[in-house]
Amino acid sequence: MIHIRTLLGLALLTLLLAACGKPFADRDAPPAFELKLYHVPVAQSQAIATQLTKVLVDSGYLVGTQSKTTMNVSQPFPGAVLVLAPARLQPSIGSAIQALNAAAATPLAPPPAPAASGVRIRAWVVQAIQGAGADDAVLGELAPTLKTLRQSLGASHFVLNEQVALVVDAEDGGAITTSQDHSYRFELSPAAAGADELRLDYRDPSGATIRNLRATVKVPANHYVVLAQAPAPAAAKGAAEALLTLLIVHAEHLPTTP
């Protein structure tokens, strides 16, 4: 409704100003008036009548009328407006209404879906320890993934070595170096079907987790993916019982900020 009123107001004011470009020879002489019936969309007839009244009354002084109340708009029945106005203005009024009718018949396109401004990547370096036990509490959200791993490893539990989070985009990627001197470099290539191609360059100079890793993998949005697994190095926590070191990632698309 606001769109229609704005469109009609702008169209009428533009056409009225054009029609009034040449002043009457005698500004005190009232112009010749004409009564015309215009057909409009039924659902919008009241809004059009209201807006026509406002625009014409506010524009009265432009056309040499003695009183702003001289011009009149009424709605004799739904789908029609009756306009009493100077004959000189009726073509402009008709053109504005015709343009409005065409706009009302064309459905507005739906707003585009927000584009992703980036992807938030979280990564966990996790070690699988032989023997039954409780997983680290901070790994709670990884429970379904760890349960699947446990089915192949047998009796085991998992401890967190490190967790990182950063936002990356397709242009610049993202990188971070942690307090343990582990470096992560992510590059992103958006792909179809809701999955992103994620390239990771991971380095651990100490060799306590996974020394060096370069991998490319499809990461579906909002899924936990085991990006890499390797035999636990001798320097790993609980070396005698350590089974594997795992690198798990999760990708979450961030909406564009308005």
Side-chain angles (χ1 to χ4, degrees):
M1 188 71 70
I2 294 176
H3 168 74
I4 289 176
R5 290 179 179 176
T6 301
L7 176 63
L8 179 63
L10 291 175
L12 275 174
L13 283 175
T14 300
L15 292 169
L16 287 174
L17 287 173
C20 300
K22 296 180 180 180
F24 289 97
D26 183 358
R27 295 292 293 182
D28 294 328
F33 273 70
E34 182 180 8
L35 184 64
K36 289 199 68 172
L37 181 71
Y38 296 97
H39 294 284
V40 299
V42 173
Q44 309 299 339
S45 55
Q46 182 58 57
I48 292 173
T50 300
Q51 191 65 11
L52 271 172
T53 299
K54 181 178 186 303
V55 172
L56 291 177
V57 168
D58 288 349
S59 304
Y61 70 95
L62 292 173
V63 295
T65 56
Q66 294 296 312
S67 169
K68 290 186 179 183
T69 60
T70 303
M71 292 186 283
N72 181 265
V73 180
S74 60
Q75 185 187 3
F77 53 87
V81 290
L82 192 62
V83 180
L84 176 65
R88 181 182 179 185
L89 293 186
Q90 292 290 5
S92 296
I93 295 170
S95 296
I97 292 177
Q98 185 177 12
L100 180 64
N101 289 345
T106 303
L108 296 178
S117 60
V119 177
R120 182 171 181 256
I121 302 292
R122 290 185 293 161
W124 297 262
V125 176
V126 177
Q127 287 167 341
I129 308 298
Q130 186 176 11
D135 297 338
D136 279 355
V138 293
L139 300 176
E141 68 178 286
L142 299 179
T145 302
L146 300 180
K147 180 180 179 181
T148 300
L149 291 167
R150 192 177 287 113
Q151 290 174 354
S152 60
L153 294 174
S156 56
H157 59 283
F158 298 89
V159 296
L160 176 67
N161 178 278
E162 184 173 72
Q163 178 180 354
V164 299
L166 68 162
V167 174
V168 303
D169 57 43
E171 293 183 0
D172 302 322
I176 188 172
T177 299
T178 69
S179 59
Q180 296 190 56
D181 203 26
H182 301 166
S183 66
Y184 301 76
R185 170 69 188 176
F186 291 99
E187 294 180 355
L188 182 71
S189 295
D196 297 298
E197 186 176 85
L198 190 66
R199 295 182 295 278
L200 168 66
D201 185 349
Y202 171 81
R203 299 178 183 275
D204 175 7
S206 72
T209 58
I210 302 171
R211 184 178 296 276
N212 295 315
L213 170 67
R214 288 185 179 180
T216 301
V217 67
K218 297 285 188 180
V219 180
N222 296 317
H223 282 67
Y224 297 89
V225 177
V226 179
L227 192 62
Q229 58 183 38
K237 179 180 178 181
E241 301 169 340
L243 298 173
L244 291 174
T245 298
L246 308 165
L247 180 58
I248 304 172
V249 298
H250 175 271
E252 174 191 4
H253 284 267
L254 302 176
T256 300
T257 302

PDB file of all heavy atoms in Angstrom, residues 127-131 157 232-244:
ATOM      1  N   GLN A 127      42.315 -35.963  20.707  1.00  0.00           N
ATOM      2  CA  GLN A 127      43.077 -37.216  20.792  1.00  0.00           C
ATOM      3  C   GLN A 127      42.204 -38.319  21.362  1.00  0.00           C
ATOM      4  O   GLN A 127      41.486 -38.114  22.355  1.00  0.00           O
ATOM      5  CB  GLN A 127      44.334 -37.013  21.631  1.00  0.00           C
ATOM      6  CG  GLN A 127      45.373 -36.190  20.880  1.00  0.00           C
ATOM      7  CD  GLN A 127      46.500 -35.703  21.740  1.00  0.00           C
ATOM      8  OE1 GLN A 127      46.382 -35.655  22.957  1.00  0.00           O
ATOM      9  NE2 GLN A 127      47.606 -35.328  21.117  1.00  0.00           N
ATOM     10  N   ALA A 128      42.245 -39.460  20.688  1.00  0.00           N
ATOM     11  CA  ALA A 128      41.513 -40.639  21.150  1.00  0.00           C
ATOM     12  C   ALA A 128      42.426 -41.431  22.079  1.00  0.00           C
ATOM     13  O   ALA A 128      43.547 -41.788  21.713  1.00  0.00           O
ATOM     14  CB  ALA A 128      41.098 -41.492  19.961  1.00  0.00           C
ATOM     15  N   ILE A 129      41.944 -41.703  23.283  1.00  0.00           N
ATOM     16  CA  ILE A 129      42.708 -42.422  24.299  1.00  0.00           C
ATOM     17  C   ILE A 129      42.089 -43.799  24.499  1.00  0.00           C
ATOM     18  O   ILE A 129      40.869 -43.927  24.657  1.00  0.00           O
ATOM     19  CB  ILE A 129      42.734 -41.641  25.636  1.00  0.00           C
ATOM     20  CG1 ILE A 129      43.201 -40.200  25.402  1.00  0.00           C
ATOM     21  CG2 ILE A 129      43.609 -42.353  26.651  1.00  0.00           C
ATOM     22  CD1 ILE A 129      44.590 -40.078  24.846  1.00  0.00           C
ATOM     23  N   GLN A 130      42.938 -44.812  24.512  1.00  0.00           N
ATOM     24  CA  GLN A 130      42.452 -46.184  24.674  1.00  0.00           C
ATOM     25  C   GLN A 130      41.869 -46.383  26.070  1.00  0.00           C
ATOM     26  O   GLN A 130      42.382 -45.871  27.058  1.00  0.00           O
ATOM     27  CB  GLN A 130      43.589 -47.177  24.446  1.00  0.00           C
ATOM     28  CG  GLN A 130      43.151 -48.634  24.442  1.00  0.00           C
ATOM     29  CD  GLN A 130      44.296 -49.573  24.113  1.00  0.00           C
ATOM     30  OE1 GLN A 130      45.453 -49.151  24.092  1.00  0.00           O
ATOM     31  NE2 GLN A 130      43.986 -50.830  23.852  1.00  0.00           N
ATOM     32  N   GLY A 131      40.771 -47.139  26.135  1.00  0.00           N
ATOM     33  CA  GLY A 131      40.155 -47.457  27.420  1.00  0.00           C
ATOM     34  C   GLY A 131      38.907 -46.634  27.667  1.00  0.00           C
ATOM     35  O   GLY A 131      38.777 -45.493  27.211  1.00  0.00           O
ATOM     36  N   HIS A 157      38.070 -43.062  24.844  1.00  0.00           N
ATOM     37  CA  HIS A 157      37.480 -41.764  25.180  1.00  0.00           C
ATOM     38  C   HIS A 157      38.338 -40.674  24.541  1.00  0.00           C
ATOM     39  O   HIS A 157      39.433 -40.953  24.041  1.00  0.00           O
ATOM     40  CB  HIS A 157      37.356 -41.564  26.695  1.00  0.00           C
ATOM     41  CG  HIS A 157      38.661 -41.649  27.424  1.00  0.00           C
ATOM     42  ND1 HIS A 157      39.291 -42.848  27.706  1.00  0.00           N
ATOM     43  CD2 HIS A 157      39.461 -40.678  27.945  1.00  0.00           C
ATOM     44  CE1 HIS A 157      40.414 -42.629  28.355  1.00  0.00           C
ATOM     45  NE2 HIS A 157      40.540 -41.313  28.513  1.00  0.00           N
ATOM     46  N   ALA A 232      48.626 -41.269  16.886  1.00  0.00           N
ATOM     47  CA  ALA A 232      49.074 -40.280  17.866  1.00  0.00           C
ATOM     48  C   ALA A 232      50.588 -40.310  17.972  1.00  0.00           C
ATOM     49  O   ALA A 232      51.183 -41.376  18.159  1.00  0.00           O
ATOM     50  CB  ALA A 232      48.442 -40.572  19.218  1.00  0.00           C
ATOM     51  N   PRO A 233      51.256 -39.162  17.847  1.00  0.00           N
ATOM     52  CA  PRO A 233      52.710 -39.120  18.004  1.00  0.00           C
ATOM     53  C   PRO A 233      53.128 -39.508  19.415  1.00  0.00           C
ATOM     54  O   PRO A 233      52.325 -39.474  20.358  1.00  0.00           O
ATOM     55  CB  PRO A 233      53.054 -37.657  17.697  1.00  0.00           C
ATOM     56  CG  PRO A 233      51.879 -37.128  16.945  1.00  0.00           C
ATOM     57  CD  PRO A 233      50.698 -37.863  17.497  1.00  0.00           C
ATOM     58  N   ALA A 234      54.375 -39.864  19.580  1.00  0.00           N
ATOM     59  CA  ALA A 234      54.864 -40.287  20.893  1.00  0.00           C
ATOM     60  C   ALA A 234      54.731 -39.190  21.927  1.00  0.00           C
ATOM     61  O   ALA A 234      54.585 -39.458  23.125  1.00  0.00           O
ATOM     62  CB  ALA A 234      56.319 -40.728  20.771  1.00  0.00           C
ATOM     63  N   ALA A 235      54.763 -37.953  21.479  1.00  0.00           N
ATOM     64  CA  ALA A 235      54.702 -36.837  22.432  1.00  0.00           C
ATOM     65  C   ALA A 235      53.284 -36.492  22.840  1.00  0.00           C
ATOM     66  O   ALA A 235      53.056 -35.567  23.615  1.00  0.00           O
ATOM     67  CB  ALA A 235      55.376 -35.609  21.828  1.00  0.00           C
ATOM     68  N   ALA A 236      52.310 -37.239  22.315  1.00  0.00           N
ATOM     69  CA  ALA A 236      50.919 -36.907  22.609  1.00  0.00           C
ATOM     70  C   ALA A 236      50.584 -37.164  24.063  1.00  0.00           C
ATOM     71  O   ALA A 236      51.227 -37.975  24.739  1.00  0.00           O
ATOM     72  CB  ALA A 236      49.997 -37.731  21.710  1.00  0.00           C
ATOM     73  N   LYS A 237      49.521 -36.474  24.519  1.00  0.00           N
ATOM     74  CA  LYS A 237      49.050 -36.653  25.890  1.00  0.00           C
ATOM     75  C   LYS A 237      48.642 -38.105  26.106  1.00  0.00           C
ATOM     76  O   LYS A 237      47.925 -38.694  25.310  1.00  0.00           O
ATOM     77  CB  LYS A 237      47.860 -35.717  26.128  1.00  0.00           C
ATOM     78  CG  LYS A 237      47.260 -35.839  27.515  1.00  0.00           C
ATOM     79  CD  LYS A 237      46.096 -34.878  27.649  1.00  0.00           C
ATOM     80  CE  LYS A 237      45.422 -35.015  29.024  1.00  0.00           C
ATOM     81  NZ  LYS A 237      44.278 -34.103  29.166  1.00  0.00           N
ATOM     82  N   GLY A 238      49.153 -38.738  27.169  1.00  0.00           N
ATOM     83  CA  GLY A 238      48.837 -40.137  27.421  1.00  0.00           C
ATOM     84  C   GLY A 238      49.436 -41.015  26.348  1.00  0.00           C
ATOM     85  O   GLY A 238      48.770 -41.881  25.803  1.00  0.00           O
ATOM     86  N   ALA A 239      50.722 -40.816  26.006  1.00  0.00           N
ATOM     87  CA  ALA A 239      51.336 -41.453  24.847  1.00  0.00           C
ATOM     88  C   ALA A 239      51.162 -42.967  24.840  1.00  0.00           C
ATOM     89  O   ALA A 239      50.925 -43.567  23.796  1.00  0.00           O
ATOM     90  CB  ALA A 239      52.823 -41.099  24.799  1.00  0.00           C
ATOM     91  N   ALA A 240      51.285 -43.587  25.995  1.00  0.00           N
ATOM     92  CA  ALA A 240      51.229 -45.053  26.038  1.00  0.00           C
ATOM     93  C   ALA A 240      49.858 -45.568  25.625  1.00  0.00           C
ATOM     94  O   ALA A 240      49.742 -46.697  25.142  1.00  0.00           O
ATOM     95  CB  ALA A 240      51.579 -45.542  27.440  1.00  0.00           C
ATOM     96  N   GLU A 241      48.824 -44.737  25.825  1.00  0.00           N
ATOM     97  CA  GLU A 241      47.479 -45.201  25.544  1.00  0.00           C
ATOM     98  C   GLU A 241      46.832 -44.463  24.382  1.00  0.00           C
ATOM     99  O   GLU A 241      45.710 -44.774  23.992  1.00  0.00           O
ATOM    100  CB  GLU A 241      46.596 -45.011  26.792  1.00  0.00           C
ATOM    101  CG  GLU A 241      47.133 -45.762  28.016  1.00  0.00           C
ATOM    102  CD  GLU A 241      46.405 -45.350  29.290  1.00  0.00           C
ATOM    103  OE1 GLU A 241      45.793 -44.250  29.282  1.00  0.00           O
ATOM    104  OE2 GLU A 241      46.443 -46.093  30.260  1.00  0.00           O
ATOM    105  N   ALA A 242      47.545 -43.475  23.808  1.00  0.00           N
ATOM    106  CA  ALA A 242      46.964 -42.682  22.729  1.00  0.00           C
ATOM    107  C   ALA A 242      46.799 -43.522  21.476  1.00  0.00           C
ATOM    108  O   ALA A 242      47.687 -44.297  21.105  1.00  0.00           O
ATOM    109  CB  ALA A 242      47.857 -41.479  22.436  1.00  0.00           C
ATOM    110  N   LEU A 243      45.646 -43.382  20.846  1.00  0.00           N
ATOM    111  CA  LEU A 243      45.350 -44.130  19.628  1.00  0.00           C
ATOM    112  C   LEU A 243      45.480 -43.259  18.380  1.00  0.00           C
ATOM    113  O   LEU A 243      46.211 -43.597  17.455  1.00  0.00           O
ATOM    114  CB  LEU A 243      43.927 -44.704  19.704  1.00  0.00           C
ATOM    115  CG  LEU A 243      43.650 -45.692  20.835  1.00  0.00           C
ATOM    116  CD1 LEU A 243      42.162 -46.027  20.883  1.00  0.00           C
ATOM    117  CD2 LEU A 243      44.478 -46.945  20.639  1.00  0.00           C
ATOM    118  N   LEU A 244      44.751 -42.168  18.365  1.00  0.00           N
ATOM    119  CA  LEU A 244      44.700 -41.308  17.185  1.00  0.00           C
ATOM    120  C   LEU A 244      44.664 -39.839  17.593  1.00  0.00           C
ATOM    121  O   LEU A 244      44.202 -39.490  18.686  1.00  0.00           O
ATOM    122  CB  LEU A 244      43.446 -41.597  16.345  1.00  0.00           C
ATOM    123  CG  LEU A 244      43.344 -42.926  15.601  1.00  0.00           C
ATOM    124  CD1 LEU A 244      41.965 -43.040  14.971  1.00  0.00           C
ATOM    125  CD2 LEU A 244      44.410 -43.044  14.526  1.00  0.00           C
TER     126      LEU A 244
END
